């Protein structure tokens, strides 16, 4: 199981916002969360496809999904923001 390695946080309108970034390049095969979902460390949030392999991507932090920034079929690079969460 892979985890998202890059997490950035900032404060917006009094809330802590967390941006989860892809840890590798690949095509989004499945999006496993939607806006409003609660996530915890270890929950799978995306499945990426790279070199014909499906790679699960998991969250490293708690939060509520505010925005899904990648859709099925999108190509994401390492470091691209895939989810925005608030605490």
């Amino acid at each position: 199981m892979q985890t998202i390695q890059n997490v950035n946080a900032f404060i917006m309108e009094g809330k802590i916002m967390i941006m989860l970034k892809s840890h590798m390049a690949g095509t989004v095969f499945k999006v496993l969360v939607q806006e409003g979902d609660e996530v915890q460390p270890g929950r799978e949030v995306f499945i990426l496809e790279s070199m014909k392999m499906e790679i699960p991507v998991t969250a490293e932090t708690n939060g509520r999904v505010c925005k899904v920034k990648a859709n099925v079929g999108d190509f994401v690079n390492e470091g691209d923001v895939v989810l925005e969460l608030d605490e």
Side-chain angles (χ1 to χ4, degrees):
M1 182 176 298
Q2 301 290 324
T3 58
I4 293 175
Q5 297 295 321
N6 300 314
V7 177
N8 288 339
F10 60 94
I11 297 174
M12 185 171 84
E13 297 177 6
K15 292 183 180 180
I16 297 174
M17 302 298 294
I18 301 163
M19 297 185 312
L20 300 177
K21 296 181 178 183
S22 176
H23 67 286
M24 65 177 293
T27 302
V28 177
F29 182 69
K30 288 183 184 176
V31 179
L32 303 173
V33 294
Q34 58 187 353
E35 292 179 12
D37 286 356
E38 296 288 331
V39 297
Q40 303 80 28
R43 178 172 175 183
E44 291 183 2
V45 293
F46 278 89
I47 305 288
L48 295 179
E49 182 180 51
S50 182
M51 299 179 67
K52 306 239 183 228
M53 294 176 45
E54 294 178 15
I55 300 109
V57 179
T58 61
E60 287 186 347
T61 186
N62 291 318
R64 182 181 59 84
V65 177
C66 292
K67 188 166 189 175
V68 177
K69 306 226 4 143
N71 299 301
V72 172
D74 289 352
F75 183 83
V76 295
N77 288 301
E78 181 178 353
D80 285 353
V81 175
V82 294
L83 287 179
E84 289 181 4
L85 307 174
D86 67 14
E87 286 194 322

